[in-house]
Amino acid sequence: MQKSNAIIITAGYLDSDNGKTAHGLIRGTERFNILAVIDEKQAGKDAGEVLDGKRRNIPVYASIPDFIHAAKEKAEYCIIGVATKGGVIPESLRAMLQVALENNLSLVNGLHDYISDHEDLAALARQKNLKIVDVRKPKKFKDLHFWSGDIAKVKCTKVAVLGTDCALGKRTTTRFLMQAMREAGYNAEMIYTGQTGWMQGAKYGFIFDSTLNDFISGEMEYAIVQCWDEAKPDIIFIEGQSSLRNPSGPAGAEWIVSAAADAVVLQHNPARKQYKGLESYPAFLPEVKDEIDLIKIYGAPTVAVTVNTMKMNEAEARRYAEQKEAELQIPVILPLEDGVSRLVGVFEQMIKNNKK
């Protein structure tokens, strides 16, 4: 895949979890070559250092004109790197998109609010012969798939990366697992289920929350079967969305049942007690053991727990991991702090067992 040069706009949210699309692209993408981030609050810094203290030579500029004036390379695309309330494009962000178009940048948008539905922006893009890529636009009916049972033809190991809530870093962990298995010499693939996975260059997948409910299981199956037919991987990791018990959008059964996952990696943030954005609603995140028991009822064993350490200090996180590992008798790891290479042996054994 040939990369296109791009910048990311984060509109003051680079250092918050609203900027998770930007965070994923800063950590890595095979689709785009990220030249800069536009965020007036963090201007002058390195985007990687803002994200996690690791310098990645991605400068942050206060505005698009500042980038154009200073940059040595020309960008082709401007990517919206934030999640907004309700997925809408607020006026402040719309103004930035107009500036991008005026400066001959095509647009990539992962929000529910499509840029192509904003006639002034769409007209300007047409006038300048620029692209608008609304990643969340649903497929046409003729291109959708019902579940068929073809998943039974897939002979490789399939691992669902689920979580106890949304916005926990499931996509990041999925990508880490794929990369770790590739580094260990295995043919590993990832099924993306969200817009950022597509932006990062994953080849196989679909946008879960833009798919009509009747077709979710079929689109999941189709992506996995296509991946198996074309790439013949040793192992497939499937990016999770939301959680089995999140009342605003329960999800996860399709990963276990429709995708026939052989196992689950479960991501959890011990510091989070209520579902994100639902703090006024009387629903609380389950204990990890309870979620593992529920996952087992659906039909898959949980082979590892990965810990999101947000709002925890390192000592607290490591103490939690040590205690849970002793309790659950499966690996409990900190992927951002330690990586996921410790899990390679777990999946190697699954691959060997699968080939018997």
Side-chain angles (χ1 to χ4, degrees), residues 170-172 174-176 178 182 188-193 196-198 200 202-205 227 235-239:
K170 296 184 285 290
R171 172 186 37 77
T172 296
T174 306
R175 191 172 160 89
F176 283 0
M178 177 189 69
R182 285 180 175 179
E189 290 289 345
M190 166 182 167
I191 304 297
Y192 72 85
T193 56
T196 307
W198 179 87
Q200 287 183 300
K203 185 176 180 182
Y204 303 102
C227 178
I235 189 166
I236 295 173
F237 295 99
I238 313 166
E239 174 198 5

Side-chain angles (χ1 to χ4, degrees), residues 169-242:
K170 296 184 285 290
R171 172 186 37 77
T172 296
T173 294
T174 306
R175 191 172 160 89
F176 283 0
L177 291 169
M178 177 189 69
Q179 290 171 335
M181 292 304 289
R182 285 180 175 179
E183 288 167 8
Y186 291 90
N187 181 3
E189 290 289 345
M190 166 182 167
I191 304 297
Y192 72 85
T193 56
Q195 71 278 3
T196 307
W198 179 87
M199 291 181 193
Q200 287 183 300
K203 185 176 180 182
Y204 303 102
F206 70 110
I207 309 297
F208 170 79
D209 60 10
S210 292
T211 302
L212 287 169
N213 191 62
D214 280 358
F215 296 97
I216 285 173
S217 59
E219 286 296 291
M220 176 86 72
E221 178 187 53
Y222 178 77
I224 295 169
V225 171
Q226 182 187 28
C227 178
W228 168 251
D229 286 344
E230 294 180 6
K232 288 293 186 289
D234 299 304
I235 189 166
I236 295 173
F237 295 99
I238 313 166
E239 174 198 5
Q241 294 292 330
S242 189

Side-chain angles (χ1 to χ4, degrees), residues 143-156:
D143 296 323
L144 290 166
H145 302 86
F146 281 115
W147 192 85
S148 68
D150 283 349
I151 195 72
K153 299 176 184 177
V154 179
K155 302 305 181 184
C156 69

Side-chain angles (χ1 to χ4, degrees), residues 2-8 31-36 67-68 73-79 100-101 103-108 128-133:
Q2 186 170 349
K3 291 188 177 186
S4 300
N5 287 348
I7 61 171
I8 307 169
R31 193 174 298 277
F32 297 104
N33 176 34
I34 305 302
L35 301 181
F67 159 75
I68 290 171
E73 289 186 80
K74 184 178 178 182
E76 299 171 61
Y77 289 93
C78 173
I79 304 168
L101 290 170
N103 284 276
N104 298 308
L105 293 168
S106 293
L107 304 177
V108 178
K128 289 180 154 286
N129 199 28
L130 297 169
K131 296 177 185 175
I132 292 176
V133 182

Side-chain angles (χ1 to χ4, degrees), residues 334-345:
L334 281 53
L336 285 182
E337 290 77 7
D338 299 333
V340 297
S341 59
R342 189 175 159 217
L343 300 183
V344 168

